[in-house]
Amino acid sequence: MGEITRRNMNCHNNLLYLLITARCPLSCSFCMTKHLHRNEDLEINNNTLNSLRNLSSQSGKVCISGEGDPLAAWENLLTIIESGPENINYELITSSFWNMQRTRRLLETLSRICEAKNCTLAYRISIDQFHAKEINRDVLEILISIFVKQKLSNASLQIRSITGQEKYVFDRLQGILQSKNIQYDITKLSEIDYKLNTNCLQIKLQFKPTVLPSNFDYLDEWPIDRYIDFLEKSRNTEFHIGLLNNSMENPVFDTTINPDGTVVLYGAEPFVLGNITKEVFTYELLKQRVLMNKNLTDLISARFIDLVNMWRSDSKQAELIEKVNNPFWLIRNLHEQNLLTLHS
């Protein structure tokens, strides 16, 4: 099966992260969000569905994930996609902890829904030696078997791993594909991006640097400067938290909806802009509320590396920057420790 052709015909490039649950049945020692796990799902009501239609229809991609695992709220997952607009590119981010039979049924259902709505779905999993030790089934073998055998014309498989795990992932892929007599090749697209090609399957692979703080004792992190430099080069624009461009006149937003329905800009979580379960939300309303908040406007309009260098002038902020090492996690940690300043 060839790679899915992009079908989203809208001209918008906003990115929407939809965290539909805080529940997760796993308890991985390295989990970055374990402290956020709780018995809470995104409430699905008319405000929620209308808001998601508005936001999704103006987003280049809708990433469905969670502070837990979205499979824990699979019925809401199906409702959101089935009731959403047409021509949407979805990405489902999951540990894929279900067995083969249940996973196959889910993927077949998602593929049918997406085909009917002219949408695409990328099913994204994390593969590394750490997940392998703590998830009690061979997720990668299960998914490759499903995607090779089933006709999932509107669904594709993606792999996310971490830098330093390239050999582990490539060896696992080689073992599985050779056992099925499938010939393949892997093309390197960038410093962290690859594509695996076979005559029946294509898989996108990405190796991201690890994120601190967590209990994950792994030493292949990138310093924050290297991460920001990579983002700017790969996007060919300045890196701004919460924006995918550097324009406040015509902003392209990087937006997150939390399991409690609150709307924030990704990486700027302390600044809550509304709640999709309580009002009908649009990107126009989001822009209005961003511009009403001077601190948030100052934050997202500044080139992020300039803010990082300003914060480094304070020893406590500099220590936290080195520890966190990730631009998308820095603001919340500065805020939690009462260290967030936006002016020198």
Side-chain angles (χ1 to χ4, degrees):
M1 179 188 313
E3 182 182 7
I4 293 175
T5 303
R6 177 181 172 86
R7 300 188 181 190
N8 191 335
M9 301 302 292
N10 71 49
C11 60
H12 303 283
N13 294 309
N14 299 297
L15 179 59
L16 180 63
Y17 282 91
L18 180 55
L19 310 183
I20 66 173
T21 184
R23 293 186 291 134
C24 183
L26 305 176
S27 186
C28 298
S29 62
F30 53 81
C31 180
M32 297 179 298
T33 60
K34 187 189 297 187
H35 63 292
L36 300 174
H37 291 174
R38 59 195 182 279
N39 187 27
E40 182 176 27
D41 297 336
L42 179 66
E43 179 185 350
I44 305 297
N45 59 30
N46 287 334
N47 286 336
T48 304
L49 294 176
N50 287 327
S51 295
L52 292 180
R53 288 189 197 100
N54 292 337
L55 297 174
S56 298
S57 65
Q58 296 188 55
S59 296
K61 182 166 68 173
V62 179
C63 299
I64 301 177
S65 184
E67 290 176 347
D69 192 296
L71 296 190
W74 65 271
E75 291 174 312
N76 286 354
L77 164 68
L78 297 181
T79 298
I80 287 167
I81 297 179
E82 196 162 26
S83 64
E86 297 185 347
N87 303 311
I88 301 300
N89 295 323
Y90 291 102
E91 185 173 276
L92 176 59
I93 304 171
T94 173
S95 294
S96 196
F97 55 86
W98 286 358
N99 62 28
M100 180 179 287
Q101 183 179 14
R102 196 176 183 192
T103 302
R104 184 180 65 248
R105 288 200 303 265
L106 174 69
L107 283 166
E108 288 173 341
T109 301
L110 288 169
S111 182
R112 285 196 300 270
I113 295 171
C114 287
E115 184 173 11
K117 301 183 75 68
N118 201 35
C119 296
T120 66
L121 177 94
Y123 192 88
R124 198 186 92 189
I125 58 169
S126 294
I127 297 295
D128 52 64
Q129 66 189 78
F130 310 102
H131 279 83
K133 290 177 181 177
E134 301 206 34
I135 298 178
N136 190 28
R137 58 175 47 98
D138 193 338
V139 171
L140 185 57
E141 201 283 331
I142 287 173
L143 287 167
I144 288 178
S145 295
I146 292 172
F147 276 90
V148 167
K149 293 178 181 178
Q150 308 304 126
K151 187 176 181 180
L152 302 171
S153 57
N154 289 69
S156 64
L157 177 61
Q158 293 186 5
I159 293 174
R160 171 71 62 85
S161 191
I162 51 179
T163 51
Q165 290 288 291
E166 291 86 351
K167 184 178 185 305
Y168 174 84
V169 173
F170 295 151
D171 287 349
R172 291 285 296 113
L173 287 166
Q174 180 182 47
I176 293 170
L177 293 170
Q178 286 186 348
S179 72
K180 300 178 184 297
N181 296 315
I182 297 175
Q183 299 297 315
Y184 72 95
D185 64 79
I186 295 178
T187 303
K188 186 172 185 178
L189 305 176
S190 75
E191 188 176 3
I192 64 171
D193 296 294
Y194 297 78
K195 181 183 286 187
L196 181 146
N197 296 284
T198 77
N199 63 351
C200 58
L201 180 68
Q202 290 188 346
I203 303 175
K204 291 183 178 179
L205 303 95
Q206 188 174 67
F207 297 85
K208 296 292 290 292
T210 52
V211 177
L212 297 177
S214 72
N215 295 322
F216 190 31
D217 185 16
Y218 185 64
L219 300 178
D220 198 58
E221 309 97 19
W222 287 10
I224 197 169
D225 306 74
R226 181 181 176 187
Y227 202 160
I228 293 173
D229 182 64
F230 171 80
L231 291 170
E232 293 196 329
K233 288 178 179 176
S234 62
R235 298 178 178 184
N236 197 30
T237 186
E238 294 180 357
F239 174 69
H240 293 240
I241 280 289
L243 293 180
L244 298 173
N245 62 352
N246 58 357
S247 170
M248 290 302 296
E249 290 74 31
N250 297 293
V252 179
F253 288 112
D254 193 356
T255 308
T256 298
I257 296 172
N258 293 311
D260 63 359
T262 53
V263 181
V264 297
L265 298 182
Y266 185 42
E269 284 78 5
F271 302 91
V272 175
L273 299 167
N275 190 303
I276 67 167
T277 70
K278 298 177 180 178
E279 59 186 330
V280 177
F281 221 82
T282 64
Y283 276 117
E284 291 73 22
L285 179 59
L286 186 149
K287 181 179 179 181
Q288 291 175 17
R289 294 192 178 167
V290 167
L291 295 175
M292 288 170 56
N293 190 316
K294 186 178 185 306
N295 283 333
L296 179 57
T297 302
D298 287 347
L299 173 65
I300 69 173
S301 62
R303 188 178 182 184
F304 197 67
I305 191 62
D306 294 337
L307 291 174
V308 170
N309 289 329
M310 179 191 75
W311 290 326
R312 281 185 169 129
S313 63
D314 179 273
S315 60
K316 289 184 179 180
Q317 291 172 321
E319 182 180 354
L320 187 63
I321 290 167
E322 183 175 359
K323 178 183 178 183
V324 173
N325 84 291
N326 184 289
F328 300 108
W329 285 68
L330 183 56
I331 300 300
R332 75 187 79 179
N333 284 276
L334 287 168
H335 176 76
E336 288 170 0
Q337 298 193 25
N338 296 315
L339 296 174
L340 180 60
T341 57
L342 298 175
H343 305 281
S344 57

